[in-house]
Amino acid sequence: MPDSDLQHGTRLVVSPSKVVLGSGAADEVGDYAATYGDRALVVASEVIFDIHGESLVETIEDAGLDVVTYTDVRPDPTVENIEDAFALWESEDCDVIVTLGGGSSIDTGKGVGILAANGGSIRDYGVDRAGYEGVPNPSPPIVAVNTTAGTGSEATRSVVVSDESTSTKFLIVSQNVVPTVAIEDPEITRSLPRSHTAFTGIDALTHAIEAFVSVKSYSVPDDYARSAIRRISDSFTKAWANGDDIEARTEMMIGQLQAGQAFTNSSVALVHGMARPLGAQLHIPHGLANALILPYVMEFSVMAAPEKYAEIARLMGAADAHTPTREAAEAAADAVLQVCEDVSLASYLDEFGDVPDREAYLDVVGTMAQDAIDSGSPDNNPRRPTREEIEDLFVTIYDDALAPDSPRRS
């Protein structure tokens, strides 16, 4: 069927220039980095670098490059992470960025690229200040070696940065930050613990679902999203249950890439708008924050896009072609909740996050709701929420999923 949206204008479909996919893909990183320069800045967390860094650096050096390493990346990278990594880039006169890790390392590398090409302060490029496509000049070459199956950051024009001075996260969106090469090696994801397999997997599913129902969706990202939902629904729990199931790991790697391509060419929506402030206030990993929010936002939104949510349920195997549309649509949230329960997502709050008592939580609900609105993401939701509705959703999430005696935790 022709896309009526494309009959009345053009769309920019962004993607990495090259995607290298398959077992052993990480062994080729040096060859690709050497195409773009002779002095590489490798950006990673200390934990990831301890596991994969030595072999990566050796691969890059064997290709004839000098290597400088920055290994202080934190989960949910900070303004300081980006500034410190950029200072190293500048002082060492590097010319190609190689990221090793998931979204945190990739976003740090993107931040370095923004400052290298544009100068100034990284905070100035947030969409709340610069708007969308607010990065004027293209970044230097970025080779992103992905070690998770979730964020899709290696395929996107988005950067999420934590501002610790205000306990908030801000978003940068520009085609000028998309990595040049995405390296997708499922063998690397074998080292992911179950917790991070869960966090990154649900993050990918959230990307696909939000892109699919977004008011900015159209045919190209819709097809990426459909494929991602189908693959992730089939392989996520398998990869979590058995981390050495390389077929499931491969399918998750492809699914999360497609989910990244879906949302960067459509958008995320209310879930991500709420997840950023929830994660910032409660120090909850981004994927876990998505998991806590996603089923409730789906229930809230279903009336505005029943056909889309019905298709999600069918892609997930929770409904079939004979199920009436509204009945199928309402099954979608239950299907997502079942996936969250299958991988024990709410149980990880015991180890990850700092959940306050209800009174202290209610004190920051208004701030979180405003931060969600300021991000712009809720405007992309099929049912556009009021501030009061976002606050009500935050309260429901606390009572049903965050509180120690809540149904999802108990």
Side-chain angles (χ1 to χ4, degrees), residues 9 46 56 110 281 320 389 408:
E46 185 176 358
L56 181 89
K110 288 177 177 178
Q281 290 286 348
D320 59 31
E389 287 169 335
R408 286 180 67 181

PDB file of all heavy atoms in Angstrom, residues 9 46 56 110 281 320 389 408:
ATOM      1  N   GLY A   9       5.244  14.947   0.698  1.00  0.00           N
ATOM      2  CA  GLY A   9       6.456  15.502   1.266  1.00  0.00           C
ATOM      3  C   GLY A   9       7.538  14.447   1.350  1.00  0.00           C
ATOM      4  O   GLY A   9       7.337  13.294   0.984  1.00  0.00           O
ATOM      5  N   GLU A  46      34.915   1.251  32.762  1.00  0.00           N
ATOM      6  CA  GLU A  46      36.008   0.427  33.275  1.00  0.00           C
ATOM      7  C   GLU A  46      35.634  -1.053  33.253  1.00  0.00           C
ATOM      8  O   GLU A  46      36.455  -1.911  32.905  1.00  0.00           O
ATOM      9  CB  GLU A  46      36.359   0.865  34.696  1.00  0.00           C
ATOM     10  CG  GLU A  46      37.564   0.147  35.281  1.00  0.00           C
ATOM     11  CD  GLU A  46      37.950   0.676  36.658  1.00  0.00           C
ATOM     12  OE1 GLU A  46      37.296   1.629  37.132  1.00  0.00           O
ATOM     13  OE2 GLU A  46      38.895   0.130  37.256  1.00  0.00           O
ATOM     14  N   LEU A  56      40.244  -5.420  21.992  1.00  0.00           N
ATOM     15  CA  LEU A  56      39.833  -4.365  21.070  1.00  0.00           C
ATOM     16  C   LEU A  56      41.011  -3.463  20.724  1.00  0.00           C
ATOM     17  O   LEU A  56      41.252  -3.147  19.556  1.00  0.00           O
ATOM     18  CB  LEU A  56      38.708  -3.542  21.682  1.00  0.00           C
ATOM     19  CG  LEU A  56      38.191  -2.418  20.788  1.00  0.00           C
ATOM     20  CD1 LEU A  56      37.063  -2.923  19.906  1.00  0.00           C
ATOM     21  CD2 LEU A  56      37.717  -1.218  21.606  1.00  0.00           C
ATOM     22  N   LYS A 110      29.387  10.034  21.233  1.00  0.00           N
ATOM     23  CA  LYS A 110      28.650  11.019  20.443  1.00  0.00           C
ATOM     24  C   LYS A 110      28.855  12.419  21.011  1.00  0.00           C
ATOM     25  O   LYS A 110      28.993  13.396  20.257  1.00  0.00           O
ATOM     26  CB  LYS A 110      27.161  10.675  20.438  1.00  0.00           C
ATOM     27  CG  LYS A 110      26.774   9.457  19.607  1.00  0.00           C
ATOM     28  CD  LYS A 110      25.278   9.204  19.758  1.00  0.00           C
ATOM     29  CE  LYS A 110      24.786   8.048  18.909  1.00  0.00           C
ATOM     30  NZ  LYS A 110      23.347   7.793  19.102  1.00  0.00           N
ATOM     31  N   GLN A 281      15.850  10.674  39.128  1.00  0.00           N
ATOM     32  CA  GLN A 281      15.498  10.916  40.529  1.00  0.00           C
ATOM     33  C   GLN A 281      15.762   9.702  41.414  1.00  0.00           C
ATOM     34  O   GLN A 281      16.190   9.841  42.564  1.00  0.00           O
ATOM     35  CB  GLN A 281      14.017  11.306  40.635  1.00  0.00           C
ATOM     36  CG  GLN A 281      13.688  12.677  40.081  1.00  0.00           C
ATOM     37  CD  GLN A 281      14.146  13.819  40.975  1.00  0.00           C
ATOM     38  OE1 GLN A 281      14.521  13.620  42.133  1.00  0.00           O
ATOM     39  NE2 GLN A 281      14.143  15.027  40.437  1.00  0.00           N
ATOM     40  N   ASP A 320      -4.742 -13.036  17.720  1.00  0.00           N
ATOM     41  CA  ASP A 320      -4.605 -13.501  16.340  1.00  0.00           C
ATOM     42  C   ASP A 320      -5.495 -12.666  15.430  1.00  0.00           C
ATOM     43  O   ASP A 320      -6.147 -11.710  15.867  1.00  0.00           O
ATOM     44  CB  ASP A 320      -4.917 -14.994  16.212  1.00  0.00           C
ATOM     45  CG  ASP A 320      -6.328 -15.354  16.656  1.00  0.00           C
ATOM     46  OD1 ASP A 320      -7.239 -14.497  16.502  1.00  0.00           O
ATOM     47  OD2 ASP A 320      -6.541 -16.485  17.121  1.00  0.00           O
ATOM     48  N   GLU A 389      -2.434  14.024  34.199  1.00  0.00           N
ATOM     49  CA  GLU A 389      -2.453  12.598  33.839  1.00  0.00           C
ATOM     50  C   GLU A 389      -1.070  11.978  33.982  1.00  0.00           C
ATOM     51  O   GLU A 389      -0.952  10.812  34.403  1.00  0.00           O
ATOM     52  CB  GLU A 389      -2.978  12.441  32.413  1.00  0.00           C
ATOM     53  CG  GLU A 389      -4.482  12.684  32.306  1.00  0.00           C
ATOM     54  CD  GLU A 389      -4.970  12.796  30.881  1.00  0.00           C
ATOM     55  OE1 GLU A 389      -4.183  13.152  29.979  1.00  0.00           O
ATOM     56  OE2 GLU A 389      -6.171  12.530  30.648  1.00  0.00           O
ATOM     57  N   ARG A 408       3.737  -5.807  41.710  1.00  0.00           N
ATOM     58  CA  ARG A 408       4.763  -6.294  40.790  1.00  0.00           C
ATOM     59  C   ARG A 408       6.047  -6.705  41.512  1.00  0.00           C
ATOM     60  O   ARG A 408       6.770  -7.575  41.025  1.00  0.00           O
ATOM     61  CB  ARG A 408       5.058  -5.244  39.714  1.00  0.00           C
ATOM     62  CG  ARG A 408       3.972  -5.137  38.668  1.00  0.00           C
ATOM     63  CD  ARG A 408       4.270  -4.098  37.613  1.00  0.00           C
ATOM     64  NE  ARG A 408       5.413  -4.444  36.772  1.00  0.00           N
ATOM     65  CZ  ARG A 408       5.870  -3.674  35.796  1.00  0.00           C
ATOM     66  NH1 ARG A 408       5.291  -2.503  35.547  1.00  0.00           N
ATOM     67  NH2 ARG A 408       6.899  -4.060  35.068  1.00  0.00           N
TER      68      ARG A 408
END
